[in-house]
Amino acid sequence: MSKNQKICVVCGRPFDCPPSDKTVTCSKECSRINRSRTHKGKSNKWTDESRQKLRDLGQTDNLKIGTDAAKKSPESGRFETNINAIDWHLISPEGKHYYFHSLNFWLRENCRELFCIEPDSREFLNARSGLSGAKRAMLGGRYGCTTYKGWRVIPTEEDIKKIEK
């Protein structure tokens, strides 16, 4: 038996597996059998009573304070300064250029006029997803189209630096 082989705990056959891997079975069938053996008598099901107890607890005071603070924070709330915001350069189907820092913030401010959709609606999420996908494709992602309903994404300096790394 080589250094990279283990013995299956179900059928006893040797199988290739790095020593650091926690796999103990040689196949899916043996894995299924092993799981059925090791999980006998264990239940992960919640009772209606335990669900109701948790529901009755509600949000803790600490969590309520933290949630409100996070929504108001310029780094984590719905602001252009959100920590996850990145620079964007879009060209509309009419050829107008838009430069901004946060897609969510910009889209929320302009979605009615430019896309004829309501903020935070399903269509809003579709537009955000479509534009994000176009940017991913433009940066060399494996799938997708570099446009969304005629809107084109142009690489920013930040994007070019990421590509060069």
Side-chain angles (χ1 to χ4, degrees):
M1 189 166 84
S2 75
K3 185 168 121 179
N4 287 337
Q5 282 195 332
K6 290 184 177 181
I7 302 293
C8 179
V9 296
V10 175
C11 68
R13 283 191 309 236
F15 65 99
D16 290 329
C17 182
S20 60
D21 196 331
K22 295 181 180 176
T23 304
V24 294
T25 56
C26 64
S27 64
K28 285 185 179 182
E29 294 80 30
C30 286
S31 177
R32 184 181 48 76
I33 293 166
N34 188 48
R35 268 195 315 260
S36 73
R37 288 178 184 172
T38 59
H39 288 81
K40 284 252 189 286
K42 294 182 182 176
S43 173
N44 295 337
K45 293 183 180 169
W46 284 60
T47 64
D48 290 336
E49 181 184 332
S50 56
R51 277 197 186 107
Q52 189 58 46
K53 277 184 189 176
L54 193 60
R55 220 178 275 127
D56 291 342
L57 287 174
Q59 267 191 337
T60 63
D61 293 334
N62 229 8
L63 190 56
K64 289 176 188 173
I65 293 167
T67 302
D68 290 339
K71 286 180 180 178
K72 293 174 186 171
S73 168
E75 290 185 354
S76 58
R78 292 181 168 189
F79 302 103
E80 194 168 18
T81 54
N82 187 295
I83 198 164
N84 296 311
I86 57 175
D87 291 330
W88 286 79
H89 177 189
L90 296 180
I91 301 178
S92 71
E94 296 79 33
K96 186 172 179 187
H97 290 255
Y98 294 89
Y99 301 89
F100 52 90
H101 183 63
S102 169
L103 177 62
N104 281 335
F105 184 80
W106 177 82
L107 200 53
R108 220 173 258 115
E109 298 290 313
N110 297 290
C111 63
R112 286 188 179 103
E113 302 83 40
L114 300 175
F115 293 90
C116 301
I117 56 177
E118 290 298 312
D120 301 317
S121 64
R122 184 175 183 173
E123 292 80 16
F124 172 89
L125 297 175
N126 289 344
R128 184 187 70 195
S129 179
L131 290 168
S132 295
K135 185 164 191 163
R136 253 190 325 277
M138 179 270 313
L139 292 174
R142 289 176 43 179
Y143 304 104
C145 180
T146 57
T147 63
Y148 171 74
K149 294 190 175 183
W151 288 79
R152 289 185 300 147
V153 180
I154 304 299
T156 61
E157 287 181 30
E158 189 178 294
D159 297 330
I160 293 168
K161 286 177 186 174
K162 283 181 189 175
I163 292 171
E164 290 173 350
K165 283 184 180 181

